[in-house]
Amino acid sequence: MTHPLAILSQRETNIARDIVRESHPGTVIDFREIFLNEPPKAELVEFLAIEHAGRLTPTTPRPPRRALCQYDVIGEDRIPQFHESIVDVVSRRRVKHTVVGKQHHASLTLSEFDVLVDRCMNSPLFQSALADFRLPDGFEVVIEPWPYGGLDETEENRRYFQGLCFARDTRSGNADTNFYSYPLPLIPVMDAHTQEIIRVDRPATGGKGDGLTEQTFKTDIIGHCKPSEYVPELLPEGTRKDLKPLNVLQPEGPSFKVTDESLVEWQRWRFRVAFNPREGATIHDVWYDGRSVMYRLAVSEMTVPYADPRPPFHRKQAFDFGDGGGGNMANNLSLGCDCLGVIKYFDAVITQADGSAQKLPNAICLHEQDNGIGWKHSNWRTGRAVVTRQRELVIQFIITLANYEYIFAYKFDQAGGITVESRATGILNVVNIDSGKASEYGNVVSGGVLAQNHQHIFCVRMDPAVDGVNNSVMVEESHPVPMNVTTNPHGNLYRVIKKTVDQATFMDADPKINRTIKMVNPHKLNPISGNPVGYKFIPMATQLLLADSRSVQARRAQFAQHHVWVTKHRDDELYAGGRYTLQSQKEVDGVADAVRRGDSVSDTDVVVWCTFGITHNPRVEDWPVMPVEIMQLTIRPADFFVANPAIDVPSSRNVSSQLVDSTCCREARI
Amino acid sequence: MTHPLAILSQRETNIARDIVRESHPGTVIDFREIFLNEPPKAELVEFLAIEHAGRLTPTTPRPPRRALCQYDVIGEDRIPQFHESIVDVVSRRRVKHTVVGKQHHASLTLSEFDVLVDRCMNSPLFQSALADFRLPDGFEVVIEPWPYGGLDETEENRRYFQGLCFARDTRSGNADTNFYSYPLPLIPVMDAHTQEIIRVDRPATGGKGDGLTEQTFKTDIIGHCKPSEYVPELLPEGTRKDLKPLNVLQPEGPSFKVTDESLVEWQRWRFRVAFNPREGATIHDVWYDGRSVMYRLAVSEMTVPYADPRPPFHRKQAFDFGDGGGGNMANNLSLGCDCLGVIKYFDAVITQADGSAQKLPNAICLHEQDNGIGWKHSNWRTGRAVVTRQRELVIQFIITLANYEYIFAYKFDQAGGITVESRATGILNVVNIDSGKASEYGNVVSGGVLAQNHQHIFCVRMDPAVDGVNNSVMVEESHPVPMNVTTNPHGNLYRVIKKTVDQATFMDADPKINRTIKMVNPHKLNPISGNPVGYKFIPMATQLLLADSRSVQARRAQFAQHHVWVTKHRDDELYAGGRYTLQSQKEVDGVADAVRRGDSVSDTDVVVWCTFGITHNPRVEDWPVMPVEIMQLTIRPADFFVANPAIDVPSSRNVSSQLVDSTCCREARI
């Protein structure tokens, strides 16, 4: 039988589509998403308890199997109305129906992007703006559709999209020439309901000393731009020849086991992998050696605000999970490219505009990797060294959002730790800058190409279940103590202060006092230390959102303004930046609102959110494709176990490793 | 001919020994170190310029080849006197001789440790203290020799050592039973010159509420302790059986080349690897694609202060590089254990007490590893994905300091980055705590075993040579800008402020403004961005030294009190914590003193030091051997190149990667 956490199958998705259609006779339905509405936690926890007790039978009551359906209903007035329905795909009944208020916009779909491109190309307004420029022969215009960003206060809240424009050199006949190196200072804006290009914004192309809106461009707009290719066959000197293969071989196969489609077992870990169009891969029901650790773990949201103050660049602010869906944008991964070794791929299901399920093959990959030494000790008395390697299990997915890519990974290790990793790569979003100018808003990374300063701010949502659902959050800090005769006669003491968080709150990283967040079970004490069993993380002291708190950018992204948020669990409260981020004017029902409820969070079903990010003032080295910028949130056991859980990892010598031979090391002394 | 940066050979070392002996007739010489006195920078730079220009000939003038010799001279008065000589091993002449002041102590040697153990065992004072306890049959006393730490102000500055005491269960006949799980509350103190046990300190074993010096122990001192073994054959349940092999194979060999004993070439990088008994592996003369990047890179010092205020625990403060020598303590590395793949080992030379050179085999390992995706971009229009993997070249050495180990690695990547990594592992230093008690000074990690709170603070010294010796340091910060009509109408602007450091100084990490340190060549501008070419790092916002600034711990470790230090280069100024740390009362001639000179550091030969660390409040999971705690300092190019230097890395599919088969994934859908 289907597990309650299994992603909706194509069959189930199509059932939901049919029910929605039947519920809205006489209308056209534009589907956006159909995906699993995860069971209410209370019901799922009950089911999981039976499952873990090994008492599941065919008659065990199961949580309902429901689809969350997001769609536009287009009636006779031709104005799309955004609806949400929850459909029970077993009983084939609609169990909930909401007409979402007009202040919110449904997430974007790629078909809207296609419409934008089409309408631009056919828009006299756009063509007339384009006529201000003279493109060299063989160059064609490329429109990069983008969400509109935050509305200005004076604007009517209609559904808009903007296009960032570039020119592509078609002369080589290669469809993958890099158009980002030829930016055009045109930003067409489309009203998505009327599908009309209503305006073409004309961003400035000036540099230091030029005004915010001053038009300084030349007709020969890309005459000072240069090719900057990244596909191997277009590199002037090809690829380097001196990199020898490095192969990862697992002759006895992997150490993991995947059963029941989503259940992963590896080195005493046991958890479920799921996927949804918004968050991409999610991790559920994490246990270690028969004890529960985490109910749910996911990357919840991210925002990328740009810092160029020249309008309309203030509208460049993506919410890459809420706007278009991190899952929708997931890459189809390839064997031997995105990871090495023995790899298990998971497929996903996404929704087409007509509501039909479409398989997204290889959306997630699962593999093991070696992460260097795990632990080592040498007894200098006897000369005996015991050294183990640290093996990790990696669940990875990669999303492409127009120019950028993000590689997300959940990594489980043998010492009971879980790391959430994000790697930012892809191509910088860039704009045109006049020849010879420099800018205080970014860096010139190629001729005529300004890469604007921006931030990438991520939020990871942790729903801990440390030996059970009811947990508390403790803040542990290490404080200096002034030298004094009574308690600190030699001045070396520092004091560890632990406090339980009583009420929903936010807080910031504070490395000066080594602020550490512990998710503990207050009812279960470690038999050795007497401390409550827990898992901990140190929030990374990275720069928070820089935009002025009164700005639309900041109002939309409150989650990006503090490093740690502690809330009480509510079903469906999964998204740090709120449920509807596309073109939002402020964060609604996001993590800040959840905190404002002021729930008691001690010894209850608590949720912890961790925000971290990169302030990305581009380097020339980030062009044309940037080397990965890696961020890691590491969650480690803290008195959860009675010893290092990796102590029994075998320390056997890897017999396939080799000494170098003399061909690479003349005069080698080994 | 021997390269000026090659480590002293055994032959050269023995020449230096002979010259020193001849210089002190009629005395006994106790040798501590003989190692390469690196050539004066001015001379070496000149030589390297000729080398890089390909103009070296047999007659090219070479910098002198000199040995730094540290030794005690024991004359008729039997009181050892600490001397340093510099010996030219080519001309066989002593070129410098210094009698080091009595306020300083030479670094410790393992033979002193042997003496301490021997004297304890034969000391009536120690035996009498030991008689207060009743050890079970089959247990023997183990003395763990330690540096004495900082002197109390009332103490005479003689050369002392302290012993931390444990009991070892000999009943299994296995010499590697873990004695750390049976701590004894005895700390014998030896005067190293008289070789007498002058005192046995009796640390408290109490818990919360007990006084700092209150004696509360029972005669049955380890009755409440338990075995906690880590060698595989002593694990009650053996090692786990479900970990399948993961092999790294390089069928065409490695991509690196090592010639001239120390010259490494790999993926356009070219540098020298050296080794000395103090810093371990050091990196020199780093070039990328014909351009110089760094003159010298090394881990300069580290300190591990403990925070238990009960005397004499305030004396637990190690300087692991200065006290005993990170190089002296380097492990002999083993194929297939300390790294995977094709490995090149470098041997080192250390000095025996009689001054003879001893080969330390396999002190450094060099290998390549895969670090996941290097860069990726998918063109969603065409579906074409280009993905490259990030290969790294790793130079690794591992040191064992009694209970702890540190794994240090210099990692070079294909995108022009250099990462200095430290992994802390090994066994916690622990003390006895009465049965059933908890402590505010640490965590009980095993029965009767208190692991005290402590910090590990590292300092990396970077001597940049960004396109030449004369560089400047720029501090780049990203500051919020209040919303205003003129410059920030929508509130999204943040301002990047860059300032050149004029005068030697220190500063701290400041993530609120994303403080970034750039080492630049002010005379060479990037042709694309117009910025000076440079390398940058973000100092990690980790907790600095917590001890009160008036404490001996803090006075000895000024380098541990700020994250970044900028100084002007001086020959031989290599050690952040000063040249002589053993039993120091304050940092002398360390990085803080170098800053106090107030040198101008702009457009000159500047040196940058980065301090970072871990506040380690132990977890039960850190016992009996702690899983690695990883810290990384990443130094990346910042407008040094004209594009991503890894853009030409081949994106070929790894043909040895495999799909999982059905044996591990029932019902797999792939």
Side-chain angles (χ1 to χ4, degrees):
Chain A
M1 284 176 81
T2 307
H3 192 275
L5 282 167
I7 63 171
L8 279 196
S9 67
Q10 291 183 262
R11 197 186 61 85
E12 290 171 316
T13 304
N14 291 338
I15 289 172
R17 171 201 61 194
D18 294 344
I19 304 294
V20 167
R21 279 203 188 134
E22 288 162 18
S23 309
H24 297 280
T27 62
V28 174
I29 308 277
D30 237 11
F31 282 91
R32 297 188 178 278
E33 313 289 357
I34 300 176
F35 62 101
L36 182 71
N37 182 229
E38 291 173 23
K41 187 164 178 179
E43 293 178 50
L44 184 55
V45 162
E46 204 170 310
F47 173 86
L48 294 173
I50 297 169
E51 180 186 15
H52 285 287
R55 294 190 285 103
L56 273 193
T57 69
T59 62
T60 303
R62 288 178 168 254
R65 187 81 184 149
R66 289 172 177 165
L68 174 63
C69 309
Q70 301 180 315
Y71 51 94
D72 281 351
V73 177
I74 304 169
E76 287 187 3
D77 61 358
R78 315 263 323 137
I79 301 197
Q81 207 177 29
F82 178 23
H83 290 232
E84 284 188 358
S85 290
I86 294 177
V87 172
D88 187 311
V89 296
V90 176
S91 67
R92 298 182 179 240
R93 286 190 317 110
R94 181 159 83 169
V95 297
K96 192 176 172 200
H97 173 236
T98 315
V99 180
V100 180
K102 282 191 193 303
Q103 71 278 24
H104 296 304
H105 292 277
S107 60
L108 62 86
T109 64
L110 292 181
S111 57
E112 290 178 301
F113 277 9
D114 293 340
V115 171
L116 172 68
V117 173
D118 179 72
R119 292 303 178 275
C120 279
M121 292 309 183
N122 293 298
S123 156
L125 201 60
F126 181 68
Q127 292 302 331
S128 141
L130 194 56
D132 281 355
F133 305 124
R134 196 179 62 239
L135 298 187
D137 284 350
F139 278 76
E140 66 175 25
V141 173
V142 175
I143 315 280
E144 181 94 323
W146 261 58
Y148 190 67
L151 282 182
D152 290 346
E153 285 185 5
T154 54
E155 288 180 288
E156 189 189 352
N157 187 15
R158 297 179 61 84
R159 186 177 180 91
Y160 297 119
F161 287 97
Q162 60 184 337
L164 308 185
C165 297
F166 301 89
R168 193 174 77 77
D169 186 349
T170 65
R171 292 172 298 179
S172 68
N174 187 313
D176 287 291
T177 52
N178 182 8
F179 56 81
Y180 294 105
S181 55
Y182 302 99
L184 302 178
L186 291 175
I187 303 190
V189 175
M190 180 180 78
D191 180 320
H193 289 168
T194 64
Q195 301 196 342
E196 274 170 36
I197 303 301
I198 58 162
R199 199 173 77 235
V200 179
D201 289 336
R202 309 292 296 256
T205 59
K208 282 176 187 158
D210 295 324
L212 292 190
T213 57
E214 197 175 337
Q215 296 287 325
T216 57
F217 64 84
K218 294 182 303 181
T219 306
D220 177 18
I221 190 68
I222 55 172
H224 59 312
C225 298
K226 303 230 157 27
S228 29
E229 305 300 348
Y230 65 91
V231 295
E233 68 272 22
L234 292 174
L235 296 179
E237 299 177 29
T239 54
R240 61 182 70 181
K241 306 285 176 270
D242 59 350
L243 187 69
K244 307 281 177 68
L246 185 150
N247 302 329
V248 174
L249 293 177
Q250 300 182 263
E252 298 177 23
S255 317
F256 59 78
K257 204 168 77 172
V258 181
T259 53
D260 196 21
E261 300 208 0
S262 64
L263 180 64
V264 178
E265 289 169 279
W266 177 80
Q267 299 287 295
R268 301 195 183 118
W269 287 106
R270 174 199 157 110
F271 57 89
R272 300 247 169 206
V273 174
F275 185 93
N276 66 62
R278 174 133 180 178
E279 299 156 288
T282 54
I283 306 292
H284 302 261
D285 194 30
V286 180
W287 288 57
Y288 187 98
D289 204 14
R291 294 169 64 195
S292 87
V293 171
M294 192 84 80
Y295 178 74
R296 191 181 196 278
L297 175 65
V299 183
S300 175
E301 189 52 275
M302 54 176 294
T303 187
V304 185
Y306 284 77
D308 190 330
R310 298 172 299 173
F313 292 138
H314 64 289
R315 287 205 323 264
K316 279 174 69 173
Q317 180 185 23
F319 288 78
D320 292 317
F321 282 46
D323 285 358
N328 280 323
M329 307 301 171
N331 291 188
N332 171 350
L333 303 174
S334 296
L335 186 65
C337 298
D338 299 295
C339 27
L340 303 181
V342 178
I343 300 145
K344 154 79 181 163
Y345 291 99
F346 295 88
D347 299 333
V349 173
I350 53 175
T351 311
Q352 295 177 290
D354 69 355
S356 310
Q358 187 186 356
K359 185 163 114 169
L360 178 64
N362 294 3
I364 305 172
C365 61
L366 173 74
H367 74 291
E368 291 175 90
Q369 65 189 25
D370 175 84
N371 183 21
I373 290 173
W375 58 262
K376 178 172 187 175
H377 182 60
S378 296
N379 185 342
W380 61 267
R381 288 165 183 77
T382 63
R384 171 79 178 273
V386 183
V387 52
T388 64
R389 301 203 62 80
Q390 178 162 272
R391 188 80 63 90
E392 295 175 331
L393 184 70
V394 184
I395 295 90
Q396 178 176 268
F397 69 106
I398 304 177
I399 63 178
T400 297
L401 302 142
N403 51 302
Y404 257 118
E405 355 286 293
Y406 298 95
I407 301 159
F408 293 103
Y410 302 97
K411 304 200 283 192
F412 292 80
D413 67 44
Q414 293 164 314
I418 308 172
T419 297
V420 184
E421 180 182 277
S422 119
R423 295 180 177 223
T425 178
I427 298 183
L428 293 162
N429 189 274
V430 294
V431 299
N432 196 298
I433 182 168
D434 303 336
S435 178
K437 292 185 181 174
S439 173
E440 53 196 317
Y441 311 132
N443 203 15
V444 175
V445 296
S446 181
V449 175
L450 176 67
Q452 296 154 316
N453 299 330
H454 59 283
Q455 299 186 280
H456 305 256
I457 304 185
F458 304 89
C459 186
V460 172
R461 180 181 180 277
M462 290 166 265
D463 187 344
V466 176
D467 273 332
V469 170
N470 286 350
N471 287 176
S472 292
V473 172
M474 290 176 77
V475 181
E476 180 181 303
E477 297 166 351
S478 297
H479 288 263
V481 178
M483 189 139 78
N484 72 83
V485 179
T486 322
T487 68
N488 190 18
H490 296 281
N492 64 311
L493 173 68
Y494 65 83
R495 201 172 286 289
V496 179
I497 296 177
K498 302 175 192 179
K499 281 189 193 144
T500 299
V501 177
D502 292 322
Q503 204 181 11
T505 191
F506 56 79
M507 64 193 112
D508 290 337
D510 196 343
K512 281 204 171 65
I513 49 174
N514 202 46
R515 184 170 286 155
T516 303
I517 308 298
K518 284 189 176 170
M519 303 171 283
V520 304
N521 185 323
H523 298 292
K524 192 155 173 224
L525 303 185
N526 184 295
I528 293 181
S529 69
N531 293 320
V533 297
Y535 263 73
K536 74 171 180 184
F537 66 94
I538 298 181
M540 295 92 98
T542 57
Q543 192 166 35
L544 291 163
L545 189 79
L546 278 162
D548 187 297
S549 62
R550 294 161 294 175
S551 67
V552 174
Q553 281 194 351
R555 283 189 277 123
R556 306 177 75 197
Q558 295 188 44
F559 79 87
Q561 298 173 44
H562 294 289
H563 291 112
V564 179
W565 304 81
V566 181
T567 64
K568 180 161 180 187
H569 173 87
R570 272 201 185 176
D571 284 336
D572 298 328
E573 195 167 73
L574 298 173
Y575 310 130
R579 196 172 179 93
Y580 310 107
T581 63
L582 188 78
Q583 209 172 301
S584 63
Q585 288 174 279
K586 60 178 184 186
E587 187 181 295
V588 175
D589 292 336
V591 69
D593 285 320
V595 161
R596 272 189 281 268
R597 283 200 303 272
D599 294 333
S600 162
V601 292
S602 159
D603 195 11
T604 184
D605 190 358
V606 67
V607 175
V608 183
W609 315 63
C610 179
T611 295
F612 53 89
I614 306 165
T615 295
H616 190 180
N617 304 336
R619 311 173 295 159
V620 174
E621 287 83 357
D622 293 328
W623 189 256
V625 183
M626 70 178 267
V628 285
E629 185 102 28
I630 304 176
M631 307 230 62
Q632 292 190 324
L633 167 65
T634 300
I635 311 158
R636 309 184 90 190
D639 291 9
F640 184 76
F641 296 103
V642 295
N644 176 359
I647 206 71
D648 69 338
V649 171
S651 51
S652 46
R653 178 183 291 259
N654 181 291
V655 292
S656 71
S657 294
Q658 294 193 324
L659 287 178
V660 286
D661 65 20
S662 58
T663 56
C664 73
C665 301
R666 279 185 284 129
E667 312 161 37
R669 293 184 303 165
I670 49 174
Chain B
M1 285 175 83
T2 307
H3 192 274
L5 283 166
I7 63 170
L8 280 195
S9 67
Q10 290 182 264
R11 196 185 63 87
E12 290 171 317
T13 304
N14 290 339
I15 290 172
R17 172 202 61 195
D18 295 343
I19 304 294
V20 167
R21 278 204 189 131
E22 291 162 16
S23 310
H24 298 280
T27 62
V28 174
I29 308 277
D30 236 11
F31 283 91
R32 298 189 178 278
E33 313 289 358
I34 300 176
F35 63 100
L36 181 72
N37 182 229
E38 292 174 22
K41 187 164 177 179
E43 293 178 51
L44 184 54
V45 163
E46 203 170 310
F47 174 85
L48 294 173
I50 297 169
E51 181 185 16
H52 285 287
R55 295 191 285 104
L56 272 192
T57 69
T59 61
T60 303
R62 289 179 168 255
R65 188 82 184 147
R66 290 173 176 164
L68 174 63
C69 309
Q70 300 181 316
Y71 51 94
D72 280 352
V73 177
I74 304 169
E76 288 187 3
D77 60 359
R78 315 261 323 134
I79 301 196
Q81 208 177 28
F82 177 26
H83 291 232
E84 284 187 358
S85 290
I86 294 178
V87 172
D88 187 311
V89 297
V90 176
S91 67
R92 297 181 180 242
R93 286 191 315 113
R94 181 159 85 169
V95 296
K96 193 175 172 198
H97 174 234
T98 315
V99 180
V100 180
K102 281 191 191 304
Q103 73 277 26
H104 297 305
H105 291 276
S107 59
L108 62 86
T109 63
L110 292 181
S111 58
E112 289 177 303
F113 277 9
D114 292 340
V115 172
L116 172 68
V117 173
D118 179 73
R119 293 303 178 274
C120 279
M121 292 310 183
N122 293 300
S123 155
L125 202 59
F126 180 68
Q127 292 301 333
S128 140
L130 194 56
D132 280 355
F133 306 125
R134 196 178 64 239
L135 298 187
D137 284 350
F139 278 75
E140 66 175 26
V141 173
V142 176
I143 316 280
E144 181 94 324
W146 261 57
Y148 190 67
L151 283 182
D152 290 347
E153 285 184 5
T154 53
E155 288 180 286
E156 189 189 352
N157 187 14
R158 296 179 62 82
R159 186 176 179 91
Y160 297 119
F161 287 97
Q162 60 185 336
L164 308 185
C165 297
F166 302 89
R168 195 174 75 79
D169 186 349
T170 66
R171 292 171 299 178
S172 67
N174 187 314
D176 288 291
T177 52
N178 182 8
F179 56 81
Y180 294 105
S181 55
Y182 302 100
L184 302 178
L186 291 174
I187 302 189
V189 174
M190 178 179 81
D191 181 319
H193 290 168
T194 64
Q195 301 195 344
E196 273 171 37
I197 303 300
I198 57 162
R199 197 172 79 235
V200 179
D201 289 337
R202 308 292 295 254
T205 59
K208 283 176 186 159
D210 294 326
L212 292 191
T213 57
E214 198 175 337
Q215 295 288 327
T216 56
F217 64 83
K218 294 183 304 183
T219 305
D220 177 17
I221 191 67
I222 56 171
H224 59 311
C225 298
K226 303 230 156 26
S228 29
E229 304 300 349
Y230 66 91
V231 295
E233 68 272 21
L234 292 174
L235 296 180
E237 300 178 30
T239 53
R240 62 183 70 180
K241 307 287 177 267
D242 58 350
L243 188 68
K244 306 281 179 65
L246 185 150
N247 301 331
V248 174
L249 293 177
Q250 300 181 262
E252 299 176 21
S255 317
F256 58 78
K257 204 169 78 172
V258 181
T259 53
D260 196 22
E261 298 208 3
S262 63
L263 181 63
V264 178
E265 288 168 280
W266 177 81
Q267 300 285 294
R268 303 198 180 114
W269 286 106
R270 173 200 159 111
F271 56 89
R272 300 247 167 206
V273 174
F275 186 92
N276 66 63
R278 173 133 179 179
E279 298 156 290
T282 54
I283 307 292
H284 303 261
D285 193 32
V286 180
W287 288 56
Y288 187 98
D289 204 13
R291 294 170 63 195
S292 88
V293 171
M294 191 84 80
Y295 177 76
R296 192 181 195 277
L297 175 65
V299 183
S300 174
E301 188 52 275
M302 54 176 294
T303 187
V304 185
Y306 284 76
D308 190 330
R310 297 173 299 172
F313 292 137
H314 63 290
R315 286 205 323 263
K316 280 175 68 173
Q317 180 186 23
F319 287 77
D320 293 317
F321 282 47
D323 284 358
N328 279 324
M329 308 299 172
N331 291 188
N332 172 349
L333 304 175
S334 296
L335 186 65
C337 298
D338 299 296
C339 28
L340 302 182
V342 178
I343 301 147
K344 153 79 180 163
Y345 291 99
F346 295 87
D347 299 334
V349 173
I350 54 175
T351 312
Q352 294 177 291
D354 68 355
S356 311
Q358 187 186 357
K359 184 162 114 168
L360 179 64
N362 294 3
I364 306 173
C365 61
L366 172 74
H367 75 291
E368 290 175 271
Q369 66 190 24
D370 176 84
N371 183 20
I373 291 174
W375 58 262
K376 179 172 187 176
H377 182 61
S378 296
N379 185 342
W380 60 267
R381 287 164 183 78
T382 63
R384 170 80 178 272
V386 183
V387 51
T388 65
R389 300 202 64 80
Q390 178 162 273
R391 189 79 64 88
E392 294 175 333
L393 184 71
V394 185
I395 294 90
Q396 179 176 268
F397 69 106
I398 304 178
I399 63 177
T400 297
L401 302 143
N403 50 303
Y404 258 117
E405 331 320 268
Y406 299 94
I407 301 159
F408 293 102
Y410 302 97
K411 304 200 283 192
F412 292 80
D413 67 45
Q414 294 163 313
I418 308 172
T419 296
V420 183
E421 181 182 275
S422 121
R423 295 180 177 224
T425 179
I427 298 183
L428 293 162
N429 189 275
V430 295
V431 300
N432 197 298
I433 182 168
D434 303 337
S435 180
K437 292 184 180 172
S439 172
E440 52 196 318
Y441 311 132
N443 204 15
V444 175
V445 295
S446 180
V449 176
L450 176 67
Q452 296 154 316
N453 299 330
H454 59 283
Q455 298 186 280
H456 305 255
I457 305 186
F458 305 89
C459 185
V460 172
R461 180 181 181 279
M462 291 165 266
D463 186 344
V466 177
D467 273 332
V469 170
N470 285 351
N471 286 175
S472 292
V473 172
M474 290 176 76
V475 181
E476 179 181 304
E477 298 168 349
S478 298
H479 287 264
V481 179
M483 188 140 75
N484 72 82
V485 179
T486 322
T487 68
N488 191 18
H490 297 281
N492 64 310
L493 173 68
Y494 65 81
R495 203 172 285 288
V496 179
I497 296 175
K498 302 175 191 179
K499 280 188 194 144
T500 298
V501 177
D502 293 322
Q503 203 181 12
T505 191
F506 57 79
M507 64 194 112
D508 291 337
D510 195 342
K512 280 203 174 64
I513 50 173
N514 202 46
R515 183 171 285 155
T516 303
I517 309 298
K518 284 189 177 170
M519 302 171 282
V520 304
N521 185 323
H523 298 292
K524 192 156 171 224
L525 304 185
N526 185 295
I528 294 182
S529 70
N531 292 320
V533 296
Y535 263 73
K536 73 172 180 183
F537 67 93
I538 298 180
M540 296 91 99
T542 58
Q543 192 166 35
L544 290 163
L545 189 79
L546 277 163
D548 187 297
S549 61
R550 294 161 294 175
S551 67
V552 174
Q553 281 194 353
R555 282 189 277 122
R556 304 177 77 197
Q558 294 187 45
F559 79 87
Q561 298 173 46
H562 294 289
H563 291 112
V564 179
W565 305 81
V566 181
T567 63
K568 180 160 179 186
H569 173 86
R570 272 201 184 177
D571 284 335
D572 298 328
E573 196 167 72
L574 297 172
Y575 310 131
R579 195 172 179 93
Y580 310 107
T581 63
L582 189 79
Q583 210 173 299
S584 63
Q585 287 173 280
K586 61 178 183 186
E587 188 181 294
V588 175
D589 292 336
V591 69
D593 284 320
V595 161
R596 272 190 281 267
R597 283 199 304 270
D599 295 333
S600 163
V601 292
S602 159
D603 194 11
T604 184
D605 189 0
V606 67
V607 175
V608 182
W609 315 63
C610 179
T611 295
F612 53 90
I614 306 166
T615 295
H616 190 180
N617 303 336
R619 311 173 295 160
V620 174
E621 287 83 357
D622 293 328
W623 189 257
V625 184
M626 71 177 268
V628 285
E629 186 102 30
I630 304 175
M631 307 229 64
Q632 293 189 324
L633 167 64
T634 300
I635 310 158
R636 310 183 89 191
D639 292 9
F640 184 76
F641 296 102
V642 295
N644 177 357
I647 205 70
D648 68 339
V649 170
S651 51
S652 47
R653 178 183 291 261
N654 182 291
V655 292
S656 71
S657 293
Q658 293 193 326
L659 286 179
V660 287
D661 65 20
S662 58
T663 56
C664 73
C665 300
R666 279 184 284 127
E667 311 162 37
R669 293 183 300 162
I670 49 173

